[in-house]
Amino acid sequence: MDTWIWAVRLAKSRSAAQTAVKGGHVKVNGARVKPAHTVRPGDEIRVLQGDRERIVEVVKIIAKRVGAPVAVTCYADHSPPPPPKTFVPPVPTRERGAGRPTKRDRRALDRLRGR
């Protein structure tokens, strides 16, 4: 299991794949598995990566790590699209060593913050 996840580049390293499987972040056909579990074509694998869940179906079994274009052909990706990123406006900052803001600076900052 961990070798296949690493080989198709769903994990950066084999130890990261093994840790994910042991931690329960990988499920095969809805069940938690061990790192030594054998993968078969047609299996549905759910891998939790951060706050996103990848859902892939095994198409081809490989034992060695391959390039990204070849790795994509080994599984069918059924994952939902990632959520759109929200824009966070930058926080205004003063230059280092500028000292305390003056009354005029504080009023300008309050206007900028909408207070």
Side-chain angles (χ1 to χ4, degrees):
M1 169 54 51
D2 61 333
T3 306
W4 188 84
I5 290 173
W6 166 75
V8 296
R9 298 179 176 265
L10 291 177
K12 288 187 178 188
S13 66
R14 181 146 179 234
S15 62
Q18 192 174 27
T19 304
V21 175
K22 284 182 180 177
H25 299 291
V26 177
K27 293 183 180 180
V28 177
N29 299 326
R32 290 177 61 177
V33 293
K34 293 184 178 181
H37 182 80
T38 55
V39 181
R40 296 181 188 97
D43 284 348
E44 179 190 64
I45 298 176
R46 293 177 177 258
V47 181
L48 188 63
Q49 295 176 331
D51 59 346
R52 183 173 180 224
E53 185 179 39
R54 299 279 308 266
I55 304 169
V56 296
E57 181 183 344
V58 179
V59 174
K60 189 166 105 178
I61 305 297
I62 57 173
K64 292 188 174 185
R65 192 169 173 98
V66 293
V70 178
V72 173
T73 64
C74 297
Y75 63 87
D77 197 357
H78 302 298
S79 304
K85 296 183 180 181
T86 58
F87 176 72
V88 178
V91 178
T93 57
R94 294 179 51 80
E95 291 184 24
R96 190 175 175 102
R100 286 182 57 146
T102 63
K103 190 172 187 176
R104 182 178 180 184
D105 292 338
R106 284 196 310 272
R107 287 182 178 163
L109 286 171
D110 285 342
R111 264 183 273 136
L112 185 63
R113 291 179 181 152
R115 293 184 189 164

